Each structure stands twice: as C-alpha cells, then as structure tokens.
Amino acid sequence: MKPDYKNWMPKGMVLTAVTLTALFLILFLVFGLSGLVSGKLKTVLFVIFLIGTVIGFFVSLWMALMYRAFSYNGKRQMSKQIIEGIADYVTLPENGKGLDVGCGSGALTIACAKRNPDTSFIGIDRWGKEYASFNLPLCESNAKAEGVSNVSFEKGDANKLNFPDESFDAVTSNYVYHNIPSQSRQDILLETLRVLKKGGTFAIHDIFSKHKYGDMNAFVQKLKDMGYERVELIDTTDGKFMTKFESVWMELSGSALLTGKK
C-alpha cells in the first residue's frame, strides 16, 4: 500500500481548463471558419473564439506543467522536496506535541511525525470543496500507508484554532494562509503562534509577498520584540525548494519559510 498525497494542482482544474479550451476550439472551427455565419458576426465570433482558444491553450499548458512539477510520482517531485525541507526544521522534545495547520492530504503532518517518532502530531484542515480530493479519510489512509501511528487529524479553522494558548511544542504549515481571504494574514500567523509553547519551534512556508502579507520584515522584528528567541525569513526560491524561474512561472514568487523558536 502506497500513500496518495494527491497533487497541489487538482486534476479536476486541469481537465476543466482542457475541456473549455477544446470547446472554444470547436466553436472557433464551427462559427469562425465555416460558412454557418457571415459578415460582421462571423468576424466577431472569429476573434472571440480564437482568443478563447489561445488563452485556454496557455492556461491548460501552465496547469499541466504545474501538475507535473508537483506530482509525487514524477521526476521533479517539488511537493515532496518542499514537505521534507520544512520537516527538517521541526524537532520536538520526547513526548512533545506538534500541530500542522492546513494539513491537506497529511503530507507535512506525517513527515514531521516520522522525524519525531517519540512525539504526537495533529493535522487540522477545513477540507474545502476547492480541494475536494483532500479529506480526513485520505489523511488517515496515508498515515497507515507510511506506517506512522503518532498522528491524528481533525477539522479546524486557521482563523480561530480550537486549542488553548501554548498547547504545542511545534507548529507548522505549508502554502495555506495565502489562500485564506483576510484583511491581515499576519493575524493568522499570530493565531498559529498563539498555541506554541514557550521554547517551541515553528516552520511556516507560504507565499509571503507584500500584497498578500504586508511587510514581513517588520513582522519578523515584531516577533523578536515580543520575545521570540529566534526568527528567520528564509527565501525558498533561491534553489532551496525551487529555482527563481520555477517560482515565477508557477506564480510562487515570494515563497519563503518563516521559522524560529519562541
């Protein structure tokens, strides 16, 4: 039995893009090139359906390349590289507890639990319809396939975690918060760090671009002023998890790892 961590680019989105492109192409051939219509209407339809076909082709190509890059079974395996890279920063004391926010298919939760076998890890997620292939049974199945028993999974909301202050020795997350509509994603980060114990470690990977998060350098300084022992914002597009070129064409520019100790 092998784990199935799915793909961060849902196959359904790729197939939808390809289907729409094919539809535009058919409409272009039927109404833009045939003699079914004529005059100005034919010209308008020719332009509309041609533009739709061209845009659809490039969007479909981009999605297909994303799907290939993020596949756990392909050559690039960027998802696996990112997950294992984040997990390398997570070390818990014996019998410690860790929390993974937005666990998806359970990949990061399980990777951290495997590296810290004498601890326990909880993965939470809302498992929304936009990622319908990610769900609680999938996470549990993947943990079983990996032979990892020190994990559990449950529904949760990153905006308001259902845990008391300082509940965990480590908190993690990967590519989650930038997807959450919010006036201040820095507040979501603070909510995650709220449940981290004094002396605990954190490793949070996301697209920390300014238009999504504001001034992250100021946020790092804010955490230091709050008494955090160590805080680093590490660029992961410089070859650590991906190349600069990959980060641009996959629209992951600004990806960085916020890590440190409370």
Side-chain angles (χ1 to χ4, degrees):
M1 181 179 178
K2 292 184 177 181
D4 180 12
Y5 292 119
K6 301 300 180 182
N7 196 297
W8 296 348
M9 173 56 71
K11 185 183 291 185
M13 290 179 63
V14 180
L15 294 177
T16 297
V18 171
T19 300
L20 288 175
T21 301
L23 178 60
F24 271 109
L25 177 59
I26 292 171
L27 292 173
F28 170 71
L29 294 174
V30 172
F31 294 102
L33 296 182
S34 72
L36 289 178
V37 294
S38 60
K40 290 184 178 180
L41 178 59
K42 181 176 182 178
T43 301
V44 171
L45 294 178
F46 178 92
V47 172
I48 291 175
F49 294 140
L50 176 61
I51 291 174
T53 301
V54 172
I55 292 176
F57 171 79
F58 283 107
V59 170
S60 298
L61 178 62
W62 172 74
M63 286 185 172
L65 291 173
M66 288 270 282
Y67 186 87
R68 182 181 180 185
F70 285 134
S71 172
Y72 276 82
N73 301 315
K75 291 182 178 180
R76 180 63 181 90
Q77 295 189 346
M78 184 180 290
S79 299
K80 183 178 181 181
Q81 181 180 343
I82 292 173
I83 291 297
E84 293 182 349
I86 299 170
D88 283 341
Y89 283 84
V90 182
T91 302
L92 279 70
E94 188 174 353
N95 298 319
K97 294 173 59 179
L99 174 69
D100 180 30
V101 181
C103 61
S105 61
L108 181 55
T109 319
I110 294 168
C112 291
K114 287 177 72 173
R115 282 164 172 74
N116 298 272
D118 297 322
T119 68
S120 62
F121 246 87
I122 299 175
I124 67 165
D125 203 299
R126 59 184 285 272
W127 291 301
K129 61 182 180 180
E130 64 272 25
Y131 282 91
S133 60
F134 293 175
N135 50 60
L136 175 59
L138 175 65
C139 292
E140 294 175 337
S141 175
N142 285 335
K144 184 177 180 180
E146 293 277 16
V148 175
S149 59
N150 57 327
V151 293
S152 61
F153 302 93
E154 59 186 63
K155 277 210 167 191
D157 183 357
N159 289 292
K160 187 173 178 58
L161 298 174
N162 191 29
F163 303 104
D165 295 355
E166 300 194 17
S167 298
F168 298 95
D169 298 282
V171 292
T172 65
S173 186
N174 178 51
Y175 281 148
V176 174
Y177 306 140
H178 74 275
N179 286 317
I180 302 175
S182 175
Q183 291 184 339
S184 175
R185 292 185 176 89
Q186 292 186 14
D187 287 345
I188 305 177
L189 290 174
L190 291 174
E191 172 63 7
T192 296
L193 295 174
R194 174 185 66 79
V195 301
L196 182 64
K197 292 180 182 179
K198 182 70 174 178
T201 59
F202 58 94
I204 299 171
H205 187 236
D206 205 0
I207 304 175
F208 290 114
S209 58
K210 191 167 185 178
H211 76 277
K212 293 180 183 293
Y213 274 91
D215 190 343
M216 280 301 294
N217 290 319
F219 183 76
V220 168
Q221 186 58 52
K222 178 179 180 178
L223 293 182
K224 292 178 179 179
D225 293 342
M226 291 170 63
Y228 280 73
E229 184 177 329
R230 187 182 75 255
V231 186
E232 294 180 88
L233 188 64
I234 304 169
D235 183 3
T236 58
T237 68
D238 59 354
K240 188 174 187 64
F241 292 165
M242 69 196 78
T243 65
K244 290 287 187 184
F245 175 74
E246 286 175 326
S247 72
V248 171
W249 74 259
M250 288 195 287
E251 297 185 359
L252 300 176
S253 296
S255 292
L257 182 64
L258 181 68
T259 183
K261 185 176 181 180
K262 190 172 185 180

